[in-house]
Amino acid sequence: MINANFRKLVLGRAVGNAGDSIYMIAMNWFILQLTNSALWIGIMNVATVLPGVLLFLFGDSIDRHSKRRLLVAVEFSQLVIVVILIGLVALHIKLPGIYVGLVFVAALFGSLAYPIQDTLVPLLVEPDQLVQAQADMSIAYKGTDYVFNALSGFLISLCSVLGVLIMDAATFVVTVATFRRIKLAEPRQQHTREKSLYLNQILVSKLSALIRCCVY
């Protein structure tokens, strides 16, 4: 791996993606068990996809603030929401709208993590290492998605939805702790045209990929 700080970013992303995959599948399963309704499953899936469409609203804020702090904040926010979900499931709350709303907010924070990380990579590696760095990040993105999407059903049958959510909370604790250890000197505000254009290109590419997934 390229350097220690970049290794922390890749490790945190891999663990965080595992957490994303686990709680998304767990909550879809839980909503199905709770409502026995295909409509609610559809609403839940819209709640997980819609935040990706809204990323363009946050480009300027991401550009102007510390990427490391933002990354820690969005992962910690997901942790808080998962803890709330654990409490609701443990208390046998049977209001699907609450779960869908919380999943939407969690998915929004999870979606924000991707452009933040993509803008953080050039600050952690040398220009001639960017191609390799993006390849490593792609493995962290996709590899954990594939593995934990496949494992989530088995984990739910083994541990129940509540147990899986508790494991999920642990993954976010690890992610937050890992991202906090990244050492990076960056300006408090960044206003250059080049960085703004770079961020906008990332957001557009993510939105295009999301649209392609929805269409196909």
Side-chain angles (χ1 to χ4, degrees):
M1 204 68 70
I2 294 172
N3 60 57
N5 283 318
F6 182 70
R7 283 197 295 271
K8 294 168 188 173
L9 181 65
V10 172
L11 175 61
R13 182 64 268 146
V15 177
N17 261 38
D20 289 342
S21 299
I22 290 172
Y23 87 78
M24 290 297 182
I25 292 179
M27 291 312 300
N28 271 287
W29 177 262
F30 178 75
I31 287 293
L32 178 61
Q33 295 295 102
L34 181 64
T35 66
N36 196 29
S37 168
L39 175 61
W40 274 109
I41 293 296
I43 294 172
M44 176 66 79
N45 282 302
V46 170
T48 61
V49 172
L50 184 59
V53 180
L54 303 176
L55 285 179
F56 71 94
L57 298 173
F58 302 94
D60 185 61
S61 294
I62 293 172
D63 192 40
R64 290 187 291 106
H65 294 86
S66 166
K67 310 300 182 293
R68 188 186 69 85
R69 291 179 182 176
L70 285 175
L71 196 53
V72 171
V74 297
E75 297 295 336
F76 181 77
S77 298
Q78 285 185 279
L79 170 61
V80 170
I81 293 170
V82 171
V83 170
I84 294 172
L85 288 171
I86 290 171
L88 293 174
V89 172
L91 293 172
H92 305 289
I93 304 299
K94 297 182 178 180
L95 298 172
I98 294 178
Y99 294 106
V100 170
L102 288 171
V103 167
F104 171 79
V105 177
L108 179 60
F109 285 122
S111 296
L112 285 170
Y114 294 100
I116 294 170
Q117 288 162 174
D118 286 339
T119 56
L120 191 57
V121 169
L123 303 177
L124 296 177
V125 303
E126 298 299 326
D128 61 346
Q129 299 173 322
L130 277 174
V131 173
Q132 181 60 50
Q134 293 295 348
D136 292 340
M137 290 299 292
S138 180
I139 293 172
Y141 291 154
K142 302 298 183 182
T144 50
D145 275 346
Y146 294 147
V147 171
F148 282 92
N149 282 342
L151 287 178
S152 293
F154 171 75
L155 292 173
I156 292 170
S157 65
L158 186 67
C159 305
S160 78
V161 169
L162 184 60
V164 168
L165 287 175
I166 292 171
M167 285 191 293
D168 189 45
T171 66
F172 285 115
V173 170
V174 173
T175 302
V176 170
T178 303
F179 286 153
R180 281 179 59 86
R181 294 177 59 218
I182 295 175
K183 296 178 181 178
L184 175 66
E186 57 177 325
R188 185 167 298 179
Q189 293 187 340
Q190 301 176 13
H191 296 287
T192 66
R193 177 177 174 82
E194 291 78 8
K195 289 177 180 176
S196 297
L197 289 173
Y198 178 68
L199 181 60
N200 289 335
Q201 289 170 357
I202 289 173
L203 294 178
V204 169
S205 68
K206 296 295 182 184
L207 180 57
S208 299
L210 177 64
I211 293 172
R212 286 197 298 271
C213 289
C214 292
V215 171
Y216 297 107

